[in-house]
């Protein structure tokens, strides 16, 4: 890989950042303000032009109340994106919303409802 090429892992992490940011309806500027960088820096993170440091990734995951591992989900062992394992923005938004429900019993019941409504379910 040459110096000007974007690392596929950085591109993937940036795409996951964009996915969670847009699902939370947060602007580039607002995210940047909350973690102490410019909106241009967020743009560079999201395109994979700039690598996100571990400390910044941790701050972002804390802000969104998600695990830092979220940003690496869907990567193969070779560091490539597994498109089949990449969820849609709607799935991510629903999953994040479900995870913010503090009552475990309510979360469980909602998962059961979603499973019951899902097409292709064996009855």
């Amino acid at each position: 890989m040459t110096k000007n090429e974007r690392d596929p892992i950085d591109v993937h992490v940036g795409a996951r950042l964009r996915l969670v940011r847009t699902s939370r309806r947060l602007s580039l500027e607002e995210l940047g303000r909350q973690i102490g960088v410019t909106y241009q820096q967020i743009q560079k993170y999201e395109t994979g032009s700039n690598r996100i440091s571990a400390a910044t990734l941790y701050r972002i995951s804390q802000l969104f109340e998600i695990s830092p591992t979220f940003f690496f989900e869907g990567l193969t062992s070779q560091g490539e994106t597994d498109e089949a394992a990449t969820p849609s923005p709607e799935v991510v938004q629903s999953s994040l919303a479900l995870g913010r429900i503090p009552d475990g019993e309510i979360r469980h019941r909602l998962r059961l409802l979603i499973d019951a409504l899902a097409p292709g379910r064996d009855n």
Side-chain angles (χ1 to χ4, degrees):
M1 183 167 54
T2 65
K3 185 177 179 180
N4 292 331
E5 287 183 54
R6 295 178 184 172
D7 187 304
I9 296 171
D10 294 332
V11 172
H12 178 85
V13 169
R16 300 287 287 180
L17 172 58
R18 183 180 317 108
L19 188 64
V20 71
R21 179 185 60 78
T22 57
S23 73
R24 297 285 178 90
R25 296 185 175 100
L26 200 63
S27 70
L28 292 164
E29 192 172 298
E30 182 60 28
L31 175 57
R33 189 173 24 256
Q34 291 192 33
I35 65 167
V37 300
T38 65
Y39 77 90
Q40 294 98 330
Q41 186 61 49
I42 300 298
Q43 284 178 318
K44 291 176 181 180
Y45 290 156
E46 289 185 355
T47 61
S49 296
N50 284 14
R51 182 168 291 159
I52 304 173
S53 73
T56 300
L57 192 62
Y58 182 78
R59 281 193 287 279
I60 292 168
S61 65
Q62 292 296 104
L63 174 70
F64 289 127
E65 298 176 339
I66 56 177
S67 170
T69 61
F70 167 83
F71 296 99
F72 301 96
E73 291 173 1
L75 282 175
T76 66
S77 59
Q78 291 79 31
E80 298 169 353
T81 299
D82 179 1
E83 294 300 328
T86 304
S88 69
E90 294 83 10
V91 169
V92 171
Q93 185 175 10
S94 299
S95 178
L96 293 171
L98 193 61
R100 288 192 307 268
I101 297 171
D103 188 314
E105 181 62 25
I106 292 174
R107 277 194 316 272
H108 175 71
R109 290 180 183 271
L110 284 171
R111 283 190 199 105
L112 291 175
L113 175 61
I114 292 167
D115 288 343
L117 296 172
R121 183 179 158 266
D122 293 334
N123 290 333

